[in-house]
C-alpha cells in the first residue's frame, strides 16, 4: 500500500494528539494498553471546529435522520423527541432539547466537513485503520452518557468548555468491534482517576477502558471524538482461511448430514476431518494474498477527496499542465490476471476504482506518482489515448490535482 502525502502534515496531526510523546513512545507504552491525558494545550485544535460551525451545521445543513442524535443523563433520547414523523430532524426540537440539558451528537461529521475529513485522512496511515469523528455538544451541568467503554480506540479533542473525565477499570481482553458495554451486565471497575480536560487538550482512551465525562463549569462543552476503527488479527486470519479454501476443493462440500445429530459413533471421524482440513488450510494459506486483499479493500474503502477535480476536468488537462498527488490519498499498484487468461497485468487501486494499466505505462506512472508531481508531457508512451484516459480518471477519483 502506498500513499503520497506530505509526511509533515500527517506527523502534525498525530503530534497534536500525543505530543510531547513521540510516536514511538506512544505506540510502545500506551496504544491498546492505557489511557493518556496529553498535558499540552494545542491551540491548533480550535482550527478543526468551532461553536459557530456547529450552529451552521444545525441551522443550514441537510440533516437526514442518521446525521444527528441526542442523549441525556446517561441515556439516548428517543428520536421521536427531536424528529418529525417522517424521520427528518426537527431543528427546533433539537435546540429545545439541548436547552433542557440534552447533548447534541453529530456522528461522522468528517463526511460533511473538509477540515475534519482531512484530519482523519492524515491519521489513517499512522494507524493503518479507518478513522472517523463524532462531535458532542453538551450544555452546562449535564452529561450525555453514563459509565461505559467503547469497542474502538478513541482520541478526544476538547474544543470549547471543559469536561470532567472519570477513568475506571479495563475490560478483561480488548473487545471486538461488536462487543459494546452492557450497563446491567459489565463491571466498569473502580474509579481510578479524575481530571479536567480543558480546551486544546487531548485524551487517548483505548477500547475496553471504562469512563464517564460529565460537563464541567458553567459553559457548554464541545469536543471531537476521533475513532480508530481497527482491523484485528482475527479478521485477517478469517480472510486467510477464506482465501486458502479457494485451493481446497473439499472445503466446498456440505457438512455431514448427521453432524448435529451424531450419537457419538462418528464424532471421532468428524473431528479427524476437521483437523485434517485445518492442517491443509495452514499449509495453503498465503500471507501475501491475504495482505493484498486487505490492502486493496482498505484503499478502496477510503472516501474520495474530490475538491477541485470538477474544475480541472471542465477546464481540461493539457500536456504541460503539472499535476500533484493529493495529500493523504491512499493508492496501491497491484498485479491481477488478465481477463484473457494470459500474463498478469498491473492495475492502480484507489478509492472506488481499479484502473488497468498497460505494461508500458505502469512503471512510468508508478515512478511519476512516487515523485509527487508531473506533467503528461514527461511520459514516453506510444498510446497517448490511454495516458489521457488514465490521468483523467485519476483526477476524477481524487488522486491527482492540478498544481
Amino acid at each position: 500500500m502506498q500513499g503520497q502525502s506530505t509526511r509533515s502534515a500527517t506527523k502534525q496531526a498525530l503530534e497534536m494528539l500525543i505530543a510531547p510523546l513521540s510516536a514511538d513512545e506512544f505506540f510502545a507504552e500506551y496504544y491498546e494498553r492505557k489511557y493518556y491525558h496529553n498535558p499540552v494545550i494545542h491551540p491548533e485544535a480550535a482550527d478543526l471546529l468551532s461553536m459557530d460551525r456547529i450552529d451552521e451545521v444545525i441551522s443550514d445543513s441537510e440533516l437526514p435522520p442518521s446525521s444527528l442524535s441526542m442523549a441525556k443523563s446517561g441515556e439516548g433520547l428517543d428520536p421521536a423527541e427531536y424528529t418529525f414523523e417522517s424521520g427528518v430532524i426537527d431543528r427546533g426540537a433539537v435546540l429545545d432539547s439541548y436547552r433542557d440539558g440534552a447533548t447534541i451528537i453529530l456522528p461522522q461529521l468528517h463526511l460533511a466537513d473538509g477540515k475534519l475529513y482531512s484530519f482523519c485522512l492524515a491519521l489513517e496511515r499512522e494507524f493503518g485503520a479507518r478513522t472517523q469523528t463524532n462531535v458532542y455538544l453538551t450544555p452546562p451541568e449535564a452529561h450525555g452518557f453514563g459509565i461505559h467503554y467503547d469497542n474502538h480506540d478513541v482520541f478526544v479533542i476538547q474544543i470549547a468548555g471543559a469536561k470532567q473525565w472519570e477513568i475506571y477499570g479495563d475490560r478483561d481482553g480488548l473487545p471486538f468491534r461488536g462487543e459494546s458495554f452492557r450497563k446491567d451486565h459489565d463491571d466498569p471497575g473502580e474509579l481510578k482517576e479524575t481530571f479536567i480536560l480543558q480546551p486544546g487538550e487531548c485524551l487517548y482512551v483505548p477500547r475496553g477502558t471504562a469512563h464517564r465525562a460529565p460537563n464541567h463549569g458553567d459553559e457548554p462543552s464541545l469536543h471531537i471524538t476521533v475513532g480508530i476503527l481497527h482491523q484485528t488479527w482475527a479478521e485477517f486470519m478469517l480472510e486467510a482461511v477464506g482465501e486458502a479454501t479457494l485451493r481446497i476443493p473439499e472445503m466446498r462440500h456440505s457438512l455431514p448430514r448427521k453432524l448435529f445429530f451424531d450419537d457419538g459413533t462418528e464424532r471421532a471421524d468428524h473431528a479427524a476431518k476437521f483437523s485434517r482440513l485445518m492442517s491443509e488450510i495452514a499449509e495453503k494459506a498465503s500471507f501475501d494474498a491475504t495482505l493484498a486483499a486487505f490492502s486493496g479493500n482498505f484503499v478502496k474503502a477510503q472516501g474520495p477527496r474530490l475538491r477541485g477535480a470538477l474544475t480541472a476536468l471542465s477546464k481540461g488537462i493539457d500536456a504541460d499542465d503539472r499535476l500533484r498527488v493529493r495529500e493523504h490519498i491512499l493508492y496501491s499498484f497491484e498485479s491481477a490476471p488478465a481477463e484473457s487468461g494470459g500474463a498478469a497485468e498491473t492495475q492502480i487501486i484507489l478509492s472506488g476504482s481499479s484502473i488497468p494499466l498497460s505494461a508500458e505505462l505502469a512503471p512510468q506512472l508508478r515512478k511519476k506518482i512516487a515523485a509527487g508531481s508531473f506533467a503528461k508531457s514527461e511520459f514516453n508512451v506510444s498510446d497517448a489515448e490511454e495516458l489521457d484516459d488514465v490521468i483523467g480518471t485519476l483526477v476524477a477519483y481524487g488522486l491527482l490535482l492540478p498544481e
Side-chain angles (χ1 to χ4, degrees):
M1 185 191 307
Q2 300 155 312
Q4 179 67 33
S5 64
T6 57
R7 292 297 295 163
S8 59
T10 300
K11 184 179 179 182
Q12 288 169 6
L14 183 61
E15 281 184 349
M16 193 191 80
L17 298 174
I18 66 173
L21 290 181
S22 68
D24 289 343
E25 289 173 324
F26 171 77
F27 285 108
E29 298 177 24
Y30 293 92
Y31 184 56
E32 297 188 322
R33 292 175 177 83
K34 57 184 178 180
Y35 79 93
Y36 173 62
H37 177 198
N38 188 332
V40 178
I41 292 178
H42 296 271
E44 63 268 30
D47 294 334
L48 291 174
L49 195 63
S50 66
M51 291 287 291
D52 186 63
R53 174 62 177 142
I54 299 302
D55 192 11
E56 179 186 28
V57 169
I58 294 174
S59 62
D60 298 333
S61 299
E62 180 183 3
L63 292 176
S66 62
S67 65
L68 186 148
S69 61
M70 304 194 76
K72 182 180 178 182
S73 301
E75 301 287 346
L77 259 63
D78 185 340
E81 296 189 33
Y82 55 88
T83 62
F84 295 110
E85 290 185 3
S86 63
V88 174
I89 301 296
D90 182 345
R91 302 168 197 265
V94 167
L95 296 182
D96 202 34
S97 297
Y98 170 76
R99 182 183 63 83
D100 195 39
T103 292
I104 298 173
I105 306 165
L106 299 172
Q108 302 197 57
L109 185 60
H110 65 289
L111 297 178
D113 186 280
K115 286 184 178 180
L116 292 179
Y117 191 48
S118 294
F119 187 76
C120 286
L121 293 184
L123 293 173
E124 289 188 346
R125 281 184 60 84
E126 294 291 341
F127 288 92
R130 288 274 84 82
T131 61
Q132 66 177 26
T133 64
N134 290 337
V135 172
Y136 299 84
L137 177 61
T138 303
E141 300 180 358
H143 71 277
F145 295 100
I147 302 172
H148 69 284
Y149 60 68
D150 296 305
N151 56 26
H152 57 274
D153 292 30
V154 299
F155 285 93
V156 176
I157 308 170
Q158 191 69 31
I159 301 298
K163 279 285 186 76
Q164 175 180 303
W165 275 80
E166 302 168 356
I167 303 295
Y168 293 83
D170 299 315
R171 183 184 184 277
D172 184 17
L174 295 172
F176 284 111
R177 191 172 302 170
E179 292 185 288
S180 299
F181 182 82
R182 297 164 296 178
K183 184 174 65 172
D184 298 325
H185 182 274
D186 295 318
D187 180 9
E190 299 295 326
L191 178 64
K192 291 182 177 179
E193 189 168 353
T194 300
F195 53 85
I196 306 300
L197 200 67
Q198 302 286 357
E201 291 186 340
C202 302
L203 169 68
Y204 166 72
V205 183
R207 57 193 185 278
T209 296
H211 56 273
R212 189 175 82 104
N215 204 351
H216 177 78
D218 55 5
E219 295 182 11
S221 166
L222 174 63
H223 80 261
I224 304 166
T225 294
V226 180
I228 312 298
L229 308 182
H230 310 84
Q231 294 187 91
T232 65
W233 275 109
E235 294 166 280
F236 193 88
M237 298 304 289
L238 287 171
E239 178 68 27
V241 170
E243 193 279 330
T245 59
L246 296 176
R247 298 182 297 281
I248 307 175
E250 195 172 1
M251 290 291 289
R252 306 174 189 223
H253 295 179
S254 59
L255 291 172
R257 293 182 297 111
K258 297 181 179 180
L259 179 65
F260 307 128
F261 314 105
D262 183 12
D263 59 5
T265 58
E266 298 181 44
R267 184 180 183 86
D269 293 337
H270 297 326
K273 186 169 185 177
F274 173 83
S275 297
R276 179 170 53 78
L277 288 173
M278 287 295 291
S279 297
E280 193 167 359
I281 289 170
E283 178 185 342
K284 295 186 176 180
S286 168
F287 173 79
D288 289 337
T290 306
L291 179 60
F294 257 63
S295 177
N297 290 338
F298 183 64
V299 170
K300 287 181 179 179
Q302 184 185 57
R305 197 81 180 106
L306 303 179
R307 184 64 180 268
L310 179 62
T311 301
L313 294 172
S314 298
K315 179 183 177 182
I317 304 168
D318 294 332
D320 292 324
D321 290 343
R322 295 205 65 79
L323 302 163
R324 63 177 173 86
V325 179
R326 198 186 294 261
E327 288 184 353
H328 314 312
I329 301 301
L330 301 176
Y331 64 90
S332 179
F333 284 90
E334 304 288 348
S335 295
E339 292 184 3
S340 61
E345 65 178 15
T346 299
Q347 57 185 358
I348 181 170
I349 298 174
L350 61 157
S351 175
S353 183
S354 300
I355 306 167
L357 305 170
S358 68
E360 181 183 42
L361 178 57
Q364 295 185 56
L365 185 64
R366 183 195 293 265
K367 184 177 180 180
K368 298 296 184 186
I369 289 179
S373 174
F374 58 87
K376 288 193 290 186
S377 59
E378 298 173 0
F379 287 82
N380 181 20
V381 294
S382 57
D383 190 344
E385 184 176 348
E386 181 200 15
L387 177 62
D388 287 343
D389 184 58
V390 168
I391 295 301
T393 302
L394 293 178
V395 171
Y397 279 90
L399 180 62
L400 300 180
L401 187 67
E403 288 189 340

